[in-house]
Amino acid sequence: MRSHLPAAALLAAVMLPVAAVAAEATARLPALSAEDSRRVGALMARMSVDEKVGQLNQVAGADATGPVSPAKAEDLAAAVRSGRIGSMLNIRGAAATRQYQQWAMRSRLKIPLLFALDVIHGYQTVFPVPLGETASWDLGLIEQSARIAAIEASASGIHWTFAPMVDVARDPRWGRVMEGAGEDPWLGAAVARARVLGFQKRRLGDTDAVMATAKHFAGYGAALAGRDYNTVDMSLQQLHDVYLPPFKAAADAGVASFMNAFNTLNGVPATGSRYLQTTLLRRQWGYDGIVVSDWGSVGEMITHGFARDAAHAAPLALNAGNDIDMESHVYDKALAAAVRSGAVATPTLDAAVRRVLEMKARLGLFKDPYRFSDERRERQALSNPAHRLVALEAARKSAVLLKNHERLLPIPPRVRHIAVIGPLARARRDLEGGWLVNSSPQHVVTIAEAIKARAPAGTQVTVLDGCDVDCASDAGFAAAEAAALQADLVVLAVGEGWDMTGEDRSRADIGLPGRQNELVQRVARAGKPVAAVVLGGRPLILNTVAEHAGAILLAWLPGSEGGNAIGDLLFGHVNPSAKLPITFPRSVGQIPISYAHYMTGRPAGAVRAPYRSQYIDSPNTPLYAFGHGLSYTTFEYTAPALSAAAIKADGKATLRFTLTNSGAVYGEEVVQLYVHDEVASLARPVRLLRGFRKVGLQPGASAQVEFTIDRATLSFIDASLASVVEPGSFRLMVGAASDDLRLEARLEVLP
Ligand code: NOJ
């Protein structure tokens, strides 16, 4: 059993030369050539205030991904021709982007447009939703999927994706957890970097690279009560320690743009936050890319009660550091007047405009405004079978085996009759997931079809929904129970539909939708072994499933190839290797919940004692912890050795150990390093992820695994917001999950 693709040759066409790029230093935005600098300078000298404001005005084309109805095409064309629009979102296709670019070329200064789009988990080829793909902990694969999304999107004329979302999120009620990398800053930073490098092809400039966006700056993932667009209130120390590292990683990887956020942070709308956008991003981080608002968020500062009106909002946003106004039309209405009245200084306006023009120059658009809009390339890129193979690999590597009691999975050949039951058994569109650019459900293989295709000849496969995904009625439950009774094994396909997570999809109850839990109970009444396949874009409350199913495979919303991947995993053609990037709680009452919690003065013990930090009606522990994920093989962790018992704060040590595949099949293990700073000037979390490796081993084989322990591993953000390594004792823990730690060592940091 190997997680290998069938057609390696096809895949080679899109594989990155990883060895060649691994040694490359941190990527930054490419410097501008002398010629481009002169070109931008000359243009700026000729631009009127209105033309400058036009470069900062971004409007939507056909599809609305926000609450405002888009203008009619002829109005947009006229606005483009008059130079009042600098970039557009939601126009796509080589032909359509070419058409709009032609209008831009008729404007006085012939400044090309930028075309932006939310390319969240693929363009034509659909990959698992980002949270699911993060569960692979496979940075090469994640970079690869972003690369393919960029190859496809750029061939359709797109210059700029509004991805990756790098918000750390610890509240699964928030539907947008689906779009991010989960709860952890370290994993989030690594994934942010991989995605930026993938979208931008490590260095912008080629026609198959797109600008990436680190969003939403900042704190959006901590929306109170998990309700989208809601208030965020947290200490700056928490912000810096937990929520900012993925943004910093994206900036260090040379991300072309940042998007600010809908939320207020400690009372100030992120869009109007001078602290975030100017003090931190520009001055402290030295960031020189573009900052774009979120959809309408410049105007929403009025609704927040932070700006009086458009005339007030425009200078507030620009002076705070927001370069481009996406779809609130506030800059269009009020920015020129603000410049004329002195509310915005000309150098401030010019700096924002220059950043936009420089980006257009980096993309080569002044030399050839149509270089991304090539219909022949578009046809080829959107029908490349190699892309589909990477989507298959991504879906295989993203599915987490949450439970496997008595090795119920993989499905043994002796099973003669399988009942595939549940609202998602025959789903196609749901497998693709939400927020797609192109949906082709007709090309998606269902879970039931995938099982039929892989079941040994002569196996009977019965398929039955039981209810639809909303599961309002129990009318089909009796038939489902009867079908289960006839079978040797039940595969139960339950979970969320494609449109139950994402933006504007907060849920107060994150259990299985409707009466699906009752369906699970009814099917289990038949007394047959049940393997559940769970779909969803967020952590769900799975107690009922865990109680009644012997095995649970969490497939997320796995994309174009999800059905095939699930089939491969169920039958053991591929061994599951994914691990949770976010905690699965037992109840909504435990939220927010993270593996990286604090000790408190009264930690709960293994045995219940009074007056402890605990619930009277629930354990503190989650149902499935961060980092959890099983395999069809077993791994042993042995022989830990730390190169030094004590180091200086700026020193290094190496932690080595042996990992052995002690089972009977090939497997990949995500080895995790956690650190606990025992005594510090601020109380520190009980454990923090500070390293990981994904290691593939044949049965019986061993590998030496090594982690470097250094400043990055040991530091934290102190009360003055400085990154410090404080002297004292550190516990280093290595294991298979945050709640399955196998090895421990102690390191002393000397004063
Ligand atoms: C609002 C979302 O918050 C943001 O992530 C997205 O990029 C924009 N809409 C544009 O669709």
Side-chain angles (χ1 to χ4, degrees):
M1 176 163 26
R2 275 209 76 131
S3 179
H4 260 174
L5 290 170
L10 268 180
L11 197 68
V14 287
M15 288 303 275
L16 288 162
V18 173
V21 288
E24 214 175 79
T26 302
R28 302 289 316 201
L29 273 177
L32 223 56
S33 69
E35 186 197 345
D36 279 333
S37 275
R38 270 196 304 279
R39 189 196 309 267
V40 168
L43 253 183
M44 297 272 306
R46 295 177 59 207
M47 289 170 87
S48 66
V49 169
D50 288 332
E51 283 166 328
K52 288 178 182 173
V53 169
Q55 288 305 304
L56 307 182
N57 182 30
Q58 180 172 100
V59 303
D63 308 321
T65 46
V68 182
S69 335
K72 288 201 298 292
E74 47 289 17
D75 299 340
L76 288 175
V80 169
R81 277 198 299 265
S82 65
R84 280 179 49 205
I85 295 179
S87 54
M88 301 190 74
L89 75 153
N90 298 350
I91 302 279
R92 64 196 161 91
T97 51
R98 176 173 287 271
Q99 171 69 81
Y100 276 93
Q101 204 64 294
Q102 279 165 349
W103 287 322
M105 288 304 107
R106 283 188 221 145
S107 63
R108 185 178 82 93
L109 294 173
K110 303 189 180 5
I111 301 176
L113 291 165
L114 286 175
F115 297 107
L117 192 71
D118 294 295
V119 183
I120 306 293
H121 54 118
Y123 183 83
Q124 178 75 27
T125 309
V126 184
F127 292 89
V129 292
L131 182 65
E133 197 182 66
T134 302
S136 71
W137 299 56
D138 186 330
L139 299 176
L141 180 78
I142 290 169
E143 182 173 347
Q144 190 74 5
S145 94
R147 189 80 280 291
I148 289 170
I151 290 169
E152 294 182 352
S154 63
S156 271
I158 301 303
H159 306 126
W160 184 2
T161 175
F162 293 140
M165 186 187 98
V166 304
D167 295 304
V168 168
R170 295 177 168 184
D171 189 332
R173 291 173 295 185
W174 191 52
R176 300 197 80 168
V177 295
M178 174 280 265
E179 277 172 71
E183 74 181 57
D184 184 65
W186 183 278
L187 178 60
V191 170
R193 178 181 163 82
R195 291 196 166 127
V196 169
L197 295 181
F199 285 129
Q200 299 193 164
K201 204 181 174 186
R202 298 203 160 221
R203 207 161 173 81
L204 277 179
D206 288 351
T207 50
D208 60 355
V210 296
M211 296 160 58
T213 307
K215 69 186 191 185
H216 306 84
F217 196 59
Y220 187 41
L224 279 177
R227 189 152 48 74
D228 212 355
Y229 319 119
N230 204 7
T231 309
V232 175
D233 205 308
M234 70 168 81
S235 71
L236 287 183
Q237 190 277 336
Q238 274 290 296
L239 181 77
H240 280 258
D241 206 35
V242 178
Y243 290 84
L244 292 183
F247 287 98
K248 181 66 166 60
D252 289 343
V255 72
S257 70
F258 266 57
M259 183 187 290
N260 56 40
F262 289 126
N263 56 283
T264 55
L265 175 68
N266 304 336
V268 179
T271 306
S273 171
R274 193 188 284 262
Y275 171 70
L276 285 173
Q277 299 172 107
T278 299
T279 309
L280 184 65
L281 184 62
R282 298 267 181 234
R283 302 222 175 103
Q284 291 177 22
W285 294 1
Y287 182 70
D288 57 356
I290 293 173
V291 176
V292 61
S293 78
D294 204 343
W295 178 296
S297 68
V298 175
E300 285 176 19
M301 293 200 298
I302 303 166
T303 325
H304 279 297
F306 186 75
R308 280 184 303 279
D309 50 21
H312 190 199
L316 271 180
L318 194 80
N319 289 335
N322 177 87
D323 296 331
I324 293 182
D325 170 2
M326 182 204 294
E327 258 300 322
S328 69
H329 305 275
V330 163
Y331 281 9
D332 187 39
K333 271 187 224 132
L335 188 56
V339 174
R340 289 188 189 107
S341 75
V344 167
T346 301
T348 309
L349 174 71
D350 284 358
V353 175
R354 184 181 294 278
R355 283 190 282 267
V356 174
L357 296 179
E358 287 183 351
M359 203 59 77
K360 293 179 176 183
R362 283 191 185 98
L363 295 184
L365 296 178
F366 287 112
K367 290 191 188 110
D368 176 4
Y370 306 106
R371 66 196 289 260
F372 284 66
S373 305
D374 173 343
E375 288 176 71
R376 197 176 57 87
R377 179 162 79 96
E378 182 177 37
R379 273 192 302 278
Q380 282 167 357
L382 302 196
S383 58
N384 185 341
H387 295 181
R388 202 80 189 192
L389 291 179
V390 182
L392 174 63
E393 185 72 346
R396 287 166 168 172
K397 290 199 164 186
S398 300
V400 187
L401 185 63
L402 292 176
K403 176 178 179 187
N404 198 16
H405 185 60
E406 293 179 342
R407 296 177 186 245
L408 177 58
L409 290 177
I411 299 174
R414 63 166 189 279
V415 169
R416 305 312 303 154
H417 185 171
I418 304 173
V420 189
I421 299 176
L424 296 165
R426 290 192 286 193
R428 295 183 202 280
R429 180 66 192 82
D430 295 305
L431 287 173
E432 290 183 310
W435 213 345
L436 295 182
V437 182
N438 292 301
S439 164
S440 320
Q442 70 280 16
H443 299 313
V444 173
V445 169
T446 68
I447 296 173
E449 287 165 351
I451 289 173
K452 281 185 188 159
R454 287 161 184 77
T459 312
Q460 196 182 336
V461 180
T462 310
V463 183
L464 211 109
D465 298 336
C467 60
D468 65 13
V469 72
D470 294 321
C471 207
S473 156
D474 65 354
F477 290 8
E481 187 183 342
L485 212 51
Q486 300 301 313
D488 304 327
L489 176 102
V490 179
V491 174
L492 195 53
V494 293
E496 290 187 317
W498 68 271
D499 61 348
M500 293 179 179
T501 49
E503 187 181 349
D504 188 27
R505 292 291 180 273
S506 293
R507 293 178 65 199
D509 173 357
I510 55 168
L512 293 182
R515 301 176 68 174
Q516 287 191 35
N517 275 335
E518 288 175 53
L519 174 66
V520 173
Q521 285 159 335
R522 278 296 285 275
V523 168
R525 246 172 34 184
K528 299 301 170 72
V530 174
V533 175
V534 176
L535 300 192
R538 57 148 64 82
L540 295 164
I541 305 295
L542 294 177
N543 304 322
T544 305
V545 182
E547 190 185 328
H548 296 287
I552 306 176
L553 182 69
L554 169 71
W556 308 99
L557 301 168
S560 305
E561 286 292 329
N564 284 323
I566 291 168
D568 289 344
L569 292 160
L570 288 176
F571 283 93
H573 301 165
V574 175
N575 189 351
S577 62
K579 305 266 187 175
L580 291 179
I582 189 164
T583 305
F584 272 51
R586 295 174 193 273
S587 67
V588 168
Q590 291 183 312
I591 297 171
I593 183 168
S594 167
Y595 81 93
H597 61 84
Y598 292 83
M599 194 62 104
T600 81
R602 298 182 177 193
V607 179
R608 194 180 172 84
Y611 299 106
R612 299 276 156 182
S613 179
Q614 62 201 352
Y615 301 101
I616 58 170
D617 57 352
S618 165
N620 286 3
T621 54
L623 186 61
Y624 297 114
F626 175 84
H628 170 75
L630 304 173
S631 165
Y632 295 150
T633 189
T634 46
F635 293 98
E636 273 172 24
Y637 292 65
T638 53
L642 188 59
S643 65
I647 58 171
K648 293 279 220 185
D650 57 357
K652 275 189 179 96
T654 307
L655 179 63
R656 282 192 194 85
F657 63 94
T658 305
L659 181 74
T660 304
N661 180 345
S662 48
V665 291
Y666 172 83
E668 295 177 8
E669 172 73 320
V670 178
V671 168
Q672 300 155 45
L673 167 73
Y674 293 88
V675 173
H676 177 51
D677 185 344
E678 290 191 310
V679 179
S681 59
L682 296 177
R684 300 299 297 149
V686 294
R687 64 191 77 86
L688 279 176
L689 182 78
R690 283 294 178 262
F692 62 90
R693 300 259 191 289
K694 190 156 190 171
V695 185
L697 288 173
Q698 295 294 348
S702 294
Q704 285 281 308
V705 183
E706 216 175 89
F707 287 111
T708 302
I709 312 298
D710 59 7
R711 202 189 150 73
T713 331
L714 302 172
S715 60
F716 70 97
I717 302 295
D718 75 3
S720 69
L721 305 186
S723 167
V724 293
V725 177
E726 292 182 350
S729 183
F730 289 77
R731 282 172 70 202
L732 310 176
M733 296 156 276
V734 170
S738 64
D739 67 346
D740 183 9
L741 300 167
R742 309 281 184 87
L743 302 173
E744 186 165 334
R746 190 171 290 271
L747 179 71
E748 205 61 30
V749 171
L750 303 170

